[in-house]
Amino acid sequence: MEITVLIENTGPPMFYAEHGLSLLIEQEGRRYLLDGGQSGDFLKNAQSLQEDLGRIDHTILSHGHYDHGNGFLAYLKRYPDRKIWASHTIFEDYYSGSKGQIHYIGLSPELKVLQDRFQLIDKDTRIDAQGVLILDEVDKDLESLRMKKMYRKCHDQFVPDTFSHELSLVFDTPNGLVIFNSCSHAGLRNIVEPIRRKMNRPVYAYIGGLHMKSLQKDEQGTSFSQEQIQIQAQYIQEYIRYVYTGHCTGEISYQLLKEILKEQIQPLTTGQRIKL
């Protein structure tokens, strides 16, 4: 398997970088595009990397946030025959309460009018012989949901987002499962455990943001408490061979995890190619 990071928050000056994520995944002759960032600049990076996005077997949107989906406006315009796999709830209105103010982070109205260009699913779905889309199980921990300060607008009320719109792209490889979950809003363990249970296979790699910078900061200024960092690291050590992460993980949280996990965790950055 080869993964090319088409766009991420960070990257060398020859590439466009933005708060968002887009990954090109190649597995046994098939090509999968996961997410499109927020602007469509991933298309320019693909050209710089000499990646032909005219050859894509499946396109997937991981969840209904602008920094993963809005870039698909340019993509759908360039490729009028394409359809995008996604959860059936991606077009609801999603908000964030970060920085002390509730603000809209859902998909753009321009993308919402293109719903006929999406293949929406409401259950786990195999998209071909290699890839399966697994919907994240709804987070029912109200205290955890309130801490995340992420919301869905329902009848003019802001209610905690349970992340029913989030899904994982999973491949069962000879080395074990490779799980792609772009933001991990529901929590790493909450995402991985149901997948391990359903597929009864070890996890070889987990790729995506860990959403660790948006929780309330403790007195040391870190995104998670030291105890939470330790619990996260212990879970990875026990159940996941490699983690490649960036985007919404947060620099401080990443460095604290790196101190514990060493080479078991690696960063994502625009233009990077990863071979598994």
Side-chain angles (χ1 to χ4, degrees), residues 99-160:
K99 301 179 181 178
Q101 184 177 4
I102 294 179
H103 54 280
Y104 183 71
I105 59 170
L107 301 175
S108 71
E110 293 84 358
L111 196 63
K112 287 186 176 184
V113 301
L114 299 176
Q115 292 191 32
D116 62 325
R117 303 291 301 277
F118 287 78
Q119 294 176 283
L120 302 179
I121 64 172
D122 60 4
K123 61 183 178 180
D124 298 348
T125 302
R126 178 166 292 282
I127 57 176
D128 61 18
Q130 300 181 89
V132 59
L133 302 178
I134 297 182
L135 296 172
D136 288 1
E137 295 193 0
V138 172
D139 192 339
K140 298 179 181 178
D141 184 343
L142 291 179
E143 182 178 356
S144 171
L145 292 174
R146 292 190 189 100
M147 286 184 65
K148 292 175 183 178
K149 297 183 179 181
M150 303 192 80
Y151 307 97
R152 175 175 59 89
K153 195 171 187 180
C154 180
H155 304 300
D156 294 325
Q157 298 291 321
F158 294 106
V159 298

Side-chain angles (χ1 to χ4, degrees), residues 32-33 56-61 72 75 82-85:
Y32 307 79
L33 177 62
I56 294 293
D57 294 289
H58 293 285
T59 305
I60 302 102
L61 175 57
F72 278 142
Y75 176 77
R82 296 284 168 82
K83 287 208 169 186
I84 299 173
W85 293 96

Side-chain angles (χ1 to χ4, degrees), residues 167-200:
L167 56 76
S168 298
L169 171 61
V170 183
F171 298 90
D172 190 351
T173 76
N175 291 324
L177 301 177
V178 178
I179 301 173
F180 293 84
N181 190 296
S182 296
C183 274
S184 308
H185 291 111
L188 178 67
R189 183 178 188 137
N190 293 340
I191 292 165
V192 172
E193 281 304 299
I195 295 173
R196 291 179 61 241
R197 183 178 67 247
K198 291 172 183 177
M199 304 188 75
N200 195 29

Side-chain angles (χ1 to χ4, degrees), residues 44-111:
K44 300 174 185 177
N45 289 338
Q47 185 175 9
S48 297
L49 291 161
Q50 298 184 332
E51 292 291 352
D52 180 11
L53 297 188
R55 297 188 305 107
I56 294 293
D57 294 289
H58 293 285
T59 305
I60 302 102
L61 175 57
S62 64
H63 62 288
H65 289 170
Y66 77 100
D67 51 330
H68 296 262
N70 282 2
F72 278 142
L73 277 169
Y75 176 77
L76 291 175
K77 182 177 181 180
R78 181 173 297 186
Y79 302 105
D81 60 330
R82 296 284 168 82
K83 287 208 169 186
I84 299 173
W85 293 96
S87 165
H88 67 294
T89 57
I90 57 163
F91 293 113
E92 295 187 17
D93 293 331
Y94 298 108
Y95 290 79
S96 171
S98 64
K99 301 179 181 178
Q101 184 177 4
I102 294 179
H103 54 280
Y104 183 71
I105 59 170
L107 301 175
S108 71
E110 293 84 358
L111 196 63

